[in-house]
Structure formats: structure tokens, C-alpha cells
Amino acid sequence: NRAKIDFSQTLQSLNQKLNDCTDSGVITSLIRQEINDLLNPKILHIFLYDSHTDCFIPARESGKALTTELIFPTDNPLVTLLENRGRRSLYLRDGENIPDRLEGEKDRINLLGARLFIPMVQNANLAGWLALGERRLGEPYSSADIYFLEALVEELAISLGRSRVIRDLEQRIEEMDVLAGIAQGVNFSLDFEDILQLVYLQTLLLIPADFLAILLRDQTRAASYYAYFSQSGKREAGKENRPLADNYGLDQVVLKTGVPFLTRDYQLACQEEHLRPTIDGVYAWIGVPLKSGTETIGVLSLAASSPDFRFGDDHLRQLRAIADLTAGAIIKISLLEESEQRARQMATLNEVARELGSTLDIKLLLNRVLQSAVQILHCEAGTLFLVDRETGELTFTVTVGPVAKDLVGKRLPAGTGLVGKAIQTQAPVVANDVLRHTGWFAVPDAQTGFQTRSLLVFPMIVKNVVVGVVEVINKRNGLPFNRADQELLQAFAAQAAVAYENARLYTLTDQALAERVEELSVMQRIDRELNASLEIHRAMRITLEWAMRRSGAEAGLIAAIDPSVGPTIMASQGYADDLERLDGKLPELIPAVRQALLSGTLQENTDLGENQDARLLPQAISQLVVPIRRDTGVIGIVLLESSTSTLGGEEFQQFIARLCDHAAIAIANARLYEQVQQANQAKSEFVSMVSHELKNPMTAIRGYTDLMLVGAAGAISEAQGKFLHTIKANVERMQVLVSDLTDIARIEAGRMRLEYRSESIREIVRDVTSSLRAQIEQKQQHLEIEIDEGLPAVWGDRHRLIQILANLVGNAHKYSPEGTQILIRAMQSANDPRMVQISVQDSGFGITLEDQQKIFQKFFRAEDHEVRNVQGTGLGLNITRHLVEIQGGKIWFDSVYRQGTTFYFTIPIGPTN
Ligand code: ADP
């Protein structure tokens, strides 16, 4: 069992090793190694079938000498015996006789020294065997050993099979590489002329003839031509490469039918086929098609002038074989030529395209495109026409060729010649024989002496409009223009069109860009002016001003739409007295105005006709009405009138539409502002009226309360006294509130009147502190005062200065806890020597960053519970700031929440005496 485990482990690991192995020498070495390790036989031969010798020979193992020189032919008895045993091994145990059938092989088998033969079978055939001698330790092979060996041989068979397949494949690839290499060599070394010459020589070796011709059909089917024509051993170059009409030559029959044609009498056959002969005086003729698949690409033909000669079936067969070879070679060559040409063309096109990107010099580009087109298409000349956008005339813009220079700049009327036709049809025109083309325009040739034979014309099209035409003239080889030429010229025409359009767009964009920039800056100015003025009349005047400036109108007006009164003229220009009769109202009867109001869209009228009610300017012919719209509807109307029929044009209309959008916002803003102003005014009036009305009764209440408190109306009880004190305190609060409101109303209405005088800050401070000292002391707060020596007097209203400082010191006192210190300082401002700077510092509750933004707003009070514990209106700082600013100073503060606040303000220094 131990051995079994070893065997199966060995087999497994061997299997893995063999999987990576494709070399048969290595495979057999591996097998030998395993067998030696496990069974240790004295002798081990591995025989394999060799197809070259049809014998079984000892395997070659890498790096080792052969184990024996013996070989066994397939008819050898040992081979036959093993073949018959299938996969069963042959074990000649000790003392056991060699089977009778091997009698004749006895010596050789003894020579081998082998006792155990394990056949190797592949695809049911004997492919070899292992031949093992006795084991070194002498013990016999067990059935397990044999089983192992048989399994091993199966591995060997599989591995060797695989290694052979791989070797075969490698060989095939090698072969194909060689073949491909050869084929390439042939393709590149063969040239069309060589092939034709080869065909000629080979053919005439086989078949006696006086004429040999190779007719080829052009790809486009436009024409056929003789690629090779020889007569009596001489090449007739004059007959070659000329387009042949399809009624010339008997070759045409073969070309058309694709079937060989033999005749004893060429002339007669031509007559019967209604063809014109291309050779004279000959009798027998044979033609076979050159075929590429099912397509006939040409005809190979022979003719014999000897009167008795006739072509027979043998000639036909031979000629067909030659024709097949010829056709194959021609196709190969033309494919090659085509692809080479393509490659060259692509390279040129790429170059042209690159140049297009790098330069915008239109003339240079068009020149380059045409040059390349003429060169690549192998033409004698070329012209590039541009179409005049207005007249449709054609201008010779770029020309290439012998007489080209004389033509540049010349013009042709629209629609002239084939070029004109290409423009009209937006399609290419091919004329391979211009003399037969009715549309051809011969004048330039007549003038220059140049002879045009064939033409290819391609329109340059940009967005469905033909902007020009590229024309190439006369292929140098005399061949007609074919489809490939057309495709190529199309590519060049497209390049030229792109070049032209790019350059045109560039100049255009430049111009358009400049205009746009100007308009934007105009709009910006308009916006600035409109925004700066919150006055509706001014906004309207500015809008009209710009509309007039850009439109070229002689007169114009702008009206605001007020639904209750209709359009009211806000501004006008150029009408002289024409508007007087209107009384400021724009008549809605003017049809365009009515229409604009109804539809909210721009109305243009270029012919006002006789109706005088349709216009305001008596001599006006054209009119433009532009609504100024807000989301709520039309809020204004711009009316422009002119005695000419043009008013601005489309671009102006776009401009004025945008202008009116801007104006609409400005007008709406101005309106809003006006409304706010009015509301403010009304409120201020109301507040000052109310506060005035409240003052008197409150003074009365307070006066009588005081009187009652001093017992002027008889003795009062303790409880009555308490009530009276409460009334008094509340009336005092109301008085503060009313006086604050009065101040604010005055400030906002611009009716705060101050009495300026030179005032001493020291005195102001003394006044404020004396009135507040009691309160401050009540809270055990300490008041400190630092006033610089020699501080100049300020210029201000004494009463208002006291109000400012009292408010700040009052706040410091209110918004600080008990026992803290308040510091008042006054000095000349370090930043501005014309100012005195006063500060009030506390170490109180402080103001949060968020609240710092808001404390000067009316009615603002911090949400802070410490603040809300004390009474206040939220008006003090707002009034204070106004009072500081009215007197020409500034106010600001520093505050750290829960640490303290310092307010600063400045007041101008007064005139020195
Ligand atoms: P009022 O004192 O009547 O509330 P003010 O306009 O004088 O109104 O002050 C507005 C708010 O600014 C106050 O309610 C308070 O929240 C804050 N404030 C003003 N002065 C101080 C200060 N010295 N320390 C902390 N907060 C202050």
C-alpha cells in the first residue's frame, strides 16, 4: 500500500511537470527519472515510432546518449506481438521462455536485456514501448508496479502527442511567415509595366500572334483603355492609356459579356457587333476576359495577320490560364498602388489639415489646398474659384498650372460653364472629354492657349451654401477621372471649405466680438446710470437717450404705463412742437402702440402710409414700438420714428430689447423707491403728529401727579402715594419714548435742526455725569473720567452732544453689573487731528458678534436676558448715530461678550479764536 501511495503521488506530480513540457526529449527524461527512482531497473529503453523511417527507434533524451542502437521495423515480430496485445504489457519472468513468435528475435531481445515490455498506444496504434530489465535488487515486478508503469506510459503518450501537435503548429506558423515574406517581396518588387511585359513575352512564346493587347476597364466604368498594345513586336505607345469609347474594338464584346470570343475575321466581326475596329488588316482574333471574381476588369487579346491562321481550343485554354494569372497580378498591383496612393494622399491631407489649424491666412491656405489637390491627383492644372456672396460671380482666386497666373482675379458671370453647374447642383461634375460636353466654357482656353481635355469640379459647401469651387484639369497620364479621384477632390474641397469658413468666421467673430463688447460696456454704463438714479424720470431719459443713439431714429419718446391714466410721456427727443397737443398723454390710438400694449411684443412698421394718426412725427415712414416689461406686465413704451425706412435692423432690435429689460428693472426700482419714500414720509408725519399730540397730555399728567404727591390736593394715604409714583415712572418712560420717536421722525424727514456752537467737551461731560451720577451710584458703579489737557473745543449742538454722551454712558450703566467701572475719555483723534475722540468704556455684558451687526438698527435690542432685564426702546443708538453723523463725526465700538464694551465717537474741532 505504501508503494501504491508512492505511485499515485508520483503520477500526480509527474502529470504536473509534464503539463508544462513540450519537448519530447525532456518528457522521456522525466519518465525515466521517475521509473529509476521508484523501481530501479537495471535497464530501461524507451522506444518510439519514427514516421520518417517507419521504425521504432530508441527515444532521444535530452543530454543523454542512446541506451541502445537497436531499431525495430514495423513488421518486426516484437512489434506485431505488442501491437496485438493492445495495452497489455509483456512480462518475461525469470526462467520463463520467450514466446515462440519471438523466436527469431531472441538474440536481439537478449541484447536489449529487457524482461518487461509496456506498450504505448496512441489513437489505437502502437506508438512505442518501454522495455525494462530486471530490478537491481532482483525482486520481480509486482502487479502494482506494472499497473504503475502502464499508467506512466499513458501519461507519456498524452504528453508526446501534445508535444507533437505544438511542434506541428510551430512549423506551420514558420512556413506561413516565410510565405508571407515571399509574397510581400513579390508585391513590392513587381511593377505594373513588368507584369505587362512578362505577359507579353510568355504569351507569345506559347501562341504565335502579331498583335497583343491588354484592355483595362477603368474603375469608374467611365471608359476603358489599352494598358498594353503591341503590333509586330513593337509597342504602340500612341494607342495606350487613351480613353476608348465603348464602340471601339472587339475587346468591348468580351468586356461586356465576360465570355471569350474567337473569330476568323476581325473586321467582319466588328461590323456584326457594330463596333469600330482598333486594328486593320487582320483576320483571326481571340479575346479572353481578365476576371476578378465575377467581375471583368479587362480583356487580353491576340490577333494574327496571317490569312490562314485561326485560333483553336488549345489557344483558348492557354490564353485563359495566362489571363487568370494576369488578372491576379493586375489586381494585386492595383490594390497595392491604390493603398500606397491612399497613404500618400492621407499624409498630404493630414498636412493640409494641420496647416488649416495653424494659420488663418485664407489665400495661403486655399493655395496650399489647390496645390496639393493638383499634385496628388496628378493633374496639369487647377483652379479654385470663390463665389461672390452678393452677385454670385465666380472669381479665379487661386490657380495652378502653365497659364495660371493670367487668370487670377478674373471674374466669370454666375452660372458659367461646368463650374457654374457644380454650384447650381451642389454636386461634382466630371467631364472626361470636355469637347463633347455642352456645358463647357471654352473662353479661358481660347484666351490662354491652354488645352483642357478633362475636368473634375467639386463645390466647396459650407452649411448648404456653395462658397467656392475646386477644379482640377487634365490627368497627366491622360486617363479619365475616376471615382477615387472624385473622392479625393471631395476631401480637398471640404478642406478648402473649412479653411475658408474658419478664416471668414475669424474675421467675423472679431467684428461681432468687438460689437458685443461695446454693447456690454454700453449696458454697463446704462446700468450704472440707471442704478445710481432712483428717480424714475431720469431712468426713462437715460433709456431713451441710448435707444435714440443706437437706432438712428429722428424722434423718439418714452412713456410710463399707468393703468388708471394710460401711457404718460416721461421723456422725448426730436419732436419739437409735435407733442404739444397731446398734453403729456401718448395716444393709445396709434396702432403700433396699442398692439405693443396688448401683445407685449416689439412692433415694427416700415411703411406708415397716409394715416396721420398712426405717427407723431409727421414725416415718419417707419416706426418701432418696444414695450418695457416687468413680470406684472408692460410698464413702459419706447416709441422711435424715422423718415427713412430703416430703423436699426435686427441687431438693433435685439439691443433695444435688452436695453428695455435693463430699463424695466431700473424703472421698477425707482418706482419702489418712490413708494418707500412716500410711505416713510407719511409715517414720519404721522409719528411727529402723534408724538406732538401726546406731549401735552403727558406733561399734564405728570404735572398733576407731582402736585398730588406733594399733597396739593389734600393728604394722601401711603398706598395712594405708591400708585402715584408708579404713574409718574410710567409717564416718564412714555416721555422718553415719545421724545425718541420725535427725534427719529425729525431725522428721517430731514427736519432735525441743530444749533452749532463751540462747545467744551469737559462741560458736556460734567453735565452728563451730574445728571446720571445718582443712578450710577445706586448700582455701586464707579465712574472715571480722563480728559486730555488743552483739548480743543468742538463744533456742535450742545443739547445734542449731551444726548449722545448721556445715551452711551446710560447704556454702559444699564448693561453692566453692579460694582463695575465706567470710563469716559476724551482726546484729540490720533487718526484725524481735526477731530476730538470721546469713548465710553464699560466692563459689562458685552455684545455677541452676531448682535454687533445690528445694534444701530431701529428698535433693536439684544435677546440677552441681562439686557432684557432693563428697560429700553432700542432707539437710543440709532438716534445717537444720526446725531454724531449729522455733526460730521463717526461712531463705532469694540465689544467682547461678557467682558465689556467701548463706544467711540468723534466730533470736529471748532474754529480757533
Ligand atoms: P436700548 O438701550 O433702549 O435698548 P439702544 O439703541 O441704546 O437701545 O441699544 C440697543 C441695544 O444695544 C441694547 O438693547 C443692547 O442690547 C445693546 N447695547 C447698547 N449698549 C450696550 C453696552 N454698553 N453693553 C452691552 N450692550 C449694549
Side-chain angles (χ1 to χ4, degrees):
N1 265 0
R2 216 214 96 81
K4 237 188 201 165
I5 293 165
D6 279 354
F7 288 158
S8 65
Q9 277 177 353
T10 306
L11 278 172
Q12 229 168 11
S13 75
L14 181 71
N15 190 290
Q16 271 163 13
K17 283 187 220 161
L18 288 176
N19 271 343
D20 303 331
C21 212
T22 55
D23 183 295
S24 62
V26 175
I27 293 169
T28 41
S29 296
L30 276 170
I31 297 283
R32 173 181 298 280
Q33 187 80 46
E34 297 301 334
I35 295 173
N36 282 342
D37 284 356
L38 274 162
L39 300 173
N40 203 6
K42 282 182 187 160
I43 285 167
L44 171 59
H45 304 293
I46 301 174
F47 278 88
L48 295 176
Y49 177 70
D50 174 44
S51 61
H52 294 289
T53 52
D54 195 29
C55 290
F56 288 84
I57 60 172
R60 297 200 168 272
E61 292 167 47
S62 36
K64 292 214 182 79
L66 290 180
T67 52
T68 172
E69 298 288 329
L70 289 178
I71 60 170
F72 293 84
T74 37
D75 54 359
N76 181 280
L78 177 65
V79 175
T80 330
L81 181 82
L82 289 176
E83 264 175 352
N84 288 339
R85 294 180 69 89
R87 291 174 198 276
R88 275 185 306 132
S89 37
L90 172 69
Y91 188 13
L92 309 174
R93 269 171 237 273
D94 250 2
E96 210 172 291
N97 282 332
I98 290 173
D100 295 344
R101 295 165 60 185
L102 293 184
E103 204 42 54
E105 281 298 295
K106 213 172 167 180
D107 292 343
R108 282 171 37 109
I109 289 171
N110 281 336
L111 205 61
L112 273 182
R115 307 300 294 171
L116 178 61
F117 296 84
I118 316 281
M120 181 171 91
V121 179
Q122 266 175 351
N123 306 327
N125 290 322
L126 185 69
W129 62 83
L130 302 181
L132 293 89
E134 281 165 9
R135 303 174 75 170
R136 285 191 204 278
L137 298 178
E139 78 267 43
Y141 291 100
S142 67
S143 55
D145 296 339
I146 293 174
Y147 178 76
F148 164 68
L149 285 167
E150 285 173 354
L152 208 64
V153 156
E154 246 170 80
E155 282 300 328
L156 180 63
I158 293 168
S159 299
L160 288 177
R162 197 182 52 227
S163 104
R164 189 163 49 245
V165 168
I166 291 173
R167 209 174 49 239
D168 283 356
L169 271 178
E170 281 172 351
Q171 233 164 17
R172 285 261 286 286
I173 289 171
E174 221 170 292
E175 266 173 34
M176 279 170 61
D177 277 349
V178 170
L179 277 178
I182 293 169
Q184 255 172 8
V186 167
N187 277 342
F188 282 108
S189 63
L190 273 188
D191 121 314
F192 196 48
E193 271 302 308
D194 290 349
I195 290 271
L196 297 178
Q197 198 61 32
L198 196 72
V199 170
Y200 171 76
L201 292 170
Q202 297 298 317
T203 310
L204 292 196
L205 274 181
L206 280 174
I207 310 167
D210 300 294
F211 290 86
L212 182 144
I214 297 173
L215 181 89
L216 290 181
R217 170 178 269 182
D218 191 76
Q219 277 168 326
T220 56
R221 313 276 144 132
S224 50
Y225 61 97
Y226 285 118
Y228 195 93
F229 195 101
S230 83
Q231 182 171 2
S232 313
K234 264 183 31 210
R235 210 88 183 242
E236 298 279 330
K239 295 217 174 197
E240 290 174 6
N241 292 334
R242 296 255 168 263
L244 273 181
D246 52 11
N247 58 342
Y248 270 88
L250 210 48
D251 317 63
Q252 301 295 344
V253 181
V254 182
L255 198 60
K256 223 168 276 163
T257 60
V259 178
F261 191 99
L262 292 95
T263 173
R264 292 169 59 182
D265 191 333
Y266 179 81
Q267 302 296 339
L268 190 71
C270 276
Q271 266 178 31
E272 283 169 0
E273 300 286 340
H274 309 289
L275 293 166
R276 296 185 177 206
T278 50
I279 42 181
D280 343 281
V282 280
Y283 299 98
W285 189 89
I286 182 172
V288 293
L290 299 173
K291 295 207 130 187
S292 158
T294 55
E295 202 184 354
T296 307
I297 58 164
V299 178
L300 172 62
S301 63
L302 297 174
S305 53
S306 154
D308 303 326
F309 187 84
R310 65 190 60 166
F311 290 106
D313 282 351
D314 274 357
H315 297 129
L316 180 62
R317 192 174 42 74
Q318 288 166 340
L319 203 59
R320 285 186 96 157
I322 293 172
D324 284 348
L325 284 174
T326 312
I330 287 174
I331 284 159
K332 223 189 256 170
I333 285 169
S334 63
L335 279 180
L336 187 74
E337 274 191 345
E338 212 171 282
S339 62
E340 276 184 347
Q341 202 184 353
R342 276 272 135 172
R344 275 199 307 274
Q345 290 164 350
M346 284 303 135
T348 313
L349 269 177
N350 267 345
E351 242 172 71
V352 173
R354 236 199 341 268
E355 277 179 29
L356 288 187
S358 62
T359 168
L360 282 164
D361 182 339
I362 181 74
K363 194 76 183 248
L364 199 83
L365 282 173
L366 295 180
N367 213 328
R368 181 82 177 88
V369 171
L370 184 69
Q371 290 267 3
S372 306
V374 168
Q375 194 183 330
I376 291 258
L377 286 155
H378 302 292
C379 289
E380 290 176 6
T383 303
L384 195 147
F385 299 90
L386 284 183
V387 180
D388 188 310
R389 287 191 156 223
E390 252 121 66
T391 61
E393 277 181 318
L394 301 161
T395 314
F396 284 86
T397 306
V398 186
T399 54
V400 174
V403 292
K405 282 204 188 63
D406 309 342
L407 293 173
V408 173
K410 288 226 163 75
R411 286 171 160 258
L412 296 177
T416 308
L418 298 178
V419 173
K421 186 177 158 201
I423 293 171
Q424 271 153 14
T425 57
Q426 300 212 352
V429 174
V430 193
N432 275 321
D433 187 358
V434 288
L435 296 176
R436 302 200 319 151
H437 256 273
T438 46
W440 184 57
F441 181 64
V443 174
D445 269 16
Q447 286 171 349
T448 59
F450 183 80
Q451 203 179 352
T452 302
R453 290 191 309 274
S454 52
L455 276 180
L456 181 56
V457 184
F458 233 100
M460 292 157 50
I461 301 176
V462 177
K463 294 193 199 109
N464 287 327
V465 176
V466 181
V467 295
V469 168
V470 188
E471 176 190 65
V472 287
I473 305 164
N474 296 357
K475 277 180 92 166
R476 286 187 187 278
N477 57 12
L479 291 184
F481 287 107
N482 58 29
R483 194 185 298 142
D485 296 330
Q486 277 188 46
E487 273 169 22
L488 210 60
L489 193 62
Q490 178 175 26
F492 279 108
Q495 297 282 19
V498 169
Y500 175 77
E501 182 64 2
N502 274 354
R504 200 183 62 82
L505 276 181
Y506 179 73
T507 45
L508 231 168
T509 343
D510 228 20
Q511 219 176 318
L513 212 67
E515 268 168 27
R516 188 92 186 99
V517 166
E518 199 202 296
E519 187 191 312
L520 279 178
S521 64
V522 166
M523 282 294 175
Q524 221 169 23
R525 270 154 69 193
I526 293 172
D527 275 352
R528 216 172 23 233
E529 289 188 53
L530 286 178
N531 284 339
S533 103
L534 281 166
E535 201 197 324
I536 206 157
H537 275 87
R538 199 166 139 64
M540 295 254 182
R541 273 201 308 274
I542 294 165
T543 308
L544 179 64
E545 168 68 26
W546 281 104
M548 295 285 294
R549 243 192 244 185
R550 292 287 292 261
S551 67
E554 285 158 59
L557 61 77
I558 187 160
I561 309 299
D562 184 337
S564 52
V565 274
T568 313
I569 297 170
M570 306 289 273
S572 69
Q573 275 189 33
Y575 279 115
D577 313 329
D578 305 321
L579 299 184
E580 264 170 26
R581 61 192 161 95
L582 298 178
D583 191 24
K585 296 272 174 290
L586 179 65
E588 285 176 83
L589 281 178
I590 295 177
V593 171
R594 204 175 49 232
Q595 197 54 39
L597 284 175
L598 278 174
S599 66
T601 58
L602 180 143
Q603 303 296 317
E604 189 188 15
N605 205 336
T606 49
D607 184 9
L608 288 170
E610 295 299 315
N611 182 7
Q612 278 303 325
D613 288 343
R615 73 198 93 194
L616 294 178
L617 190 72
Q619 70 270 29
I621 291 176
S622 57
Q623 200 176 47
L624 199 65
V625 182
V626 193
I628 302 175
R629 303 182 334 148
R630 285 298 281 166
D631 9 288
T632 43
V634 180
I635 61 167
I637 283 279
V638 179
L639 168 71
L640 300 171
E641 291 184 320
S642 165
S643 61
T644 65
S645 60
T646 49
L647 245 176
E650 196 181 319
E651 260 175 52
F652 169 73
Q653 291 188 9
Q654 283 170 8
F655 166 81
I656 192 151
R658 283 193 290 269
L659 175 67
C660 286
D661 284 347
H662 287 246
I665 298 169
I667 290 168
N669 280 349
R671 273 205 177 152
L672 263 180
Y673 183 71
E674 246 174 39
Q675 284 164 10
V676 169
Q677 289 278 72
Q678 278 169 13
N680 254 338
Q681 187 74 24
K683 189 198 67 188
S684 296
E685 274 161 19
F686 173 76
V687 168
S688 72
M689 186 265 287
V690 168
S691 49
H692 186 77
E693 290 300 310
L694 283 174
K695 245 182 203 163
N696 293 337
M698 278 196 303
T699 315
I701 294 170
R702 199 177 154 184
Y704 286 108
T705 315
D706 281 345
L707 281 176
M708 284 167 84
L709 275 171
V710 296
I716 51 167
S717 69
E718 202 182 321
Q720 284 171 333
K722 248 190 186 165
F723 289 167
L724 283 173
H725 271 294
T726 307
I727 293 173
K728 188 184 168 193
N730 277 295
V731 171
E732 274 169 2
R733 269 184 67 204
M734 280 172 79
Q735 278 185 319
V736 172
L737 182 62
V738 166
S739 108
D740 278 358
L741 282 174
T742 316
D743 280 351
I744 284 188
R746 279 206 193 119
I747 288 166
E748 286 180 354
R751 286 203 306 259
M752 174 71 84
R753 253 169 286 283
L754 300 186
E755 281 180 39
Y756 289 92
R757 250 183 267 149
S758 233
E759 298 290 347
S760 149
I761 291 294
R762 204 174 289 273
E763 276 174 33
I764 308 272
V765 172
R766 200 175 48 224
D767 267 22
V768 170
T769 50
S770 67
S771 70
L772 291 176
R773 190 165 301 272
Q775 298 179 31
I776 292 172
E777 279 171 1
Q778 216 176 12
K779 229 177 160 183
Q780 279 99 48
Q781 288 167 331
H782 181 69
L783 187 64
E784 192 119 336
I785 296 161
E786 286 177 18
I787 299 175
D788 281 4
E789 286 298 326
L791 186 71
V794 296
W795 188 250
D797 178 309
R798 180 184 176 84
H799 178 60
R800 296 300 177 185
L801 288 174
I802 289 172
Q803 192 181 346
I804 293 167
L805 190 61
N807 186 30
L808 295 181
V809 176
N811 280 350
H813 153 73
K814 280 198 292 184
Y815 303 121
S816 299
E818 293 188 350
T820 50
Q821 176 180 288
I822 299 167
L823 171 63
I824 303 173
R825 297 184 62 190
M827 60 177 91
Q828 204 160 344
S829 164
N831 293 328
D832 188 345
R834 294 165 305 162
M835 295 281 181
V836 166
Q837 177 181 308
I838 300 122
S839 62
V840 179
Q841 183 181 5
D842 66 51
S843 32
F845 308 138
I847 307 162
T848 61
L849 269 180
E850 197 193 334
D851 286 347
Q852 290 184 16
Q853 316 292 323
K854 306 177 193 160
I855 61 162
F856 287 112
Q857 289 171 11
K858 265 189 282 182
F859 301 108
F860 175 79
R861 305 201 72 213
E863 288 297 340
D864 195 335
H865 63 274
E866 301 277 11
V867 170
R868 291 298 164 107
N869 270 342
V870 285
Q871 286 172 345
T873 60
L875 290 172
L877 281 180
N878 183 270
I879 294 168
T880 300
R881 186 172 72 176
H882 280 297
L883 291 178
V884 170
E885 287 173 358
I886 292 170
Q887 297 181 71
K890 281 198 184 98
I891 183 166
W892 70 100
F893 64 95
D894 289 328
S895 183
V896 179
Y897 186 58
R898 289 295 179 260
Q899 284 189 22
T901 308
T902 308
F903 274 90
Y904 306 84
F905 69 96
T906 55
I907 296 293
I909 291 170
T912 42
N913 299 328

